[in-house]
Amino acid sequence: MKTRIKIFITLLIVAVAAIGASAQSAFFKECEKLPGVQTVYVSKLMLGMAAKSGITTGNVDVSSLVNKLDALEVINAEGEAVKTLEKKIQPLTGYETLLTVNDDGENVQILFKDLGKGRSEFRIVAHEPDQLAIVCFLGTMTMEEVIEAVNK
């Protein structure tokens, strides 16, 4: 019985990956090809499954945000790969800076971009001298909805 469950879960993961592969952003696809850069893509279907599991994080209503997301992209680089990834994020245009925090060599930015037709992107860029992480939230959530979810 346990073997059947493992096979089912493996097939589900493969199916989700196949569905999500075509929805990745151009920036994410470019980063996937960079040596030493790790990437994670989570599709709308997988995010929906996570929402149904009743995820809670402190006082944040995660389920209300998850239902508004189309995709989640995570890009991470360490060591020498940081310089390569830095070159990819330098030409980013059209983003509004919502927040910048500088603390003892660590820089965190939260950026926003209106993608049109009710869609938006929130991008968190966390940069340390030896590590660079980028998290992209793509979907139909608005800044107001994000604030409301955090205030619940």
Side-chain angles (χ1 to χ4, degrees), residues 72-124:
L72 174 67
E73 299 173 345
V74 181
I75 303 157
N76 187 61
E78 295 178 6
E80 292 298 316
V82 170
K83 292 176 186 170
T84 306
L85 188 54
E86 283 174 336
K87 291 177 185 173
K88 285 287 178 195
I89 65 171
Q90 291 305 322
L92 292 178
T93 58
Y95 289 87
E96 180 181 340
T97 301
L98 301 178
L99 174 74
T100 299
V101 177
N102 289 298
D103 183 23
D104 198 28
E106 182 178 354
N107 178 276
V108 177
Q109 291 183 307
I110 300 177
L111 308 169
F112 169 78
K113 184 175 188 178
D114 184 354
L115 302 175
K117 297 183 181 178
R119 296 189 69 240
S120 58
E121 176 183 354
F122 288 87
R123 185 172 287 204
I124 301 171

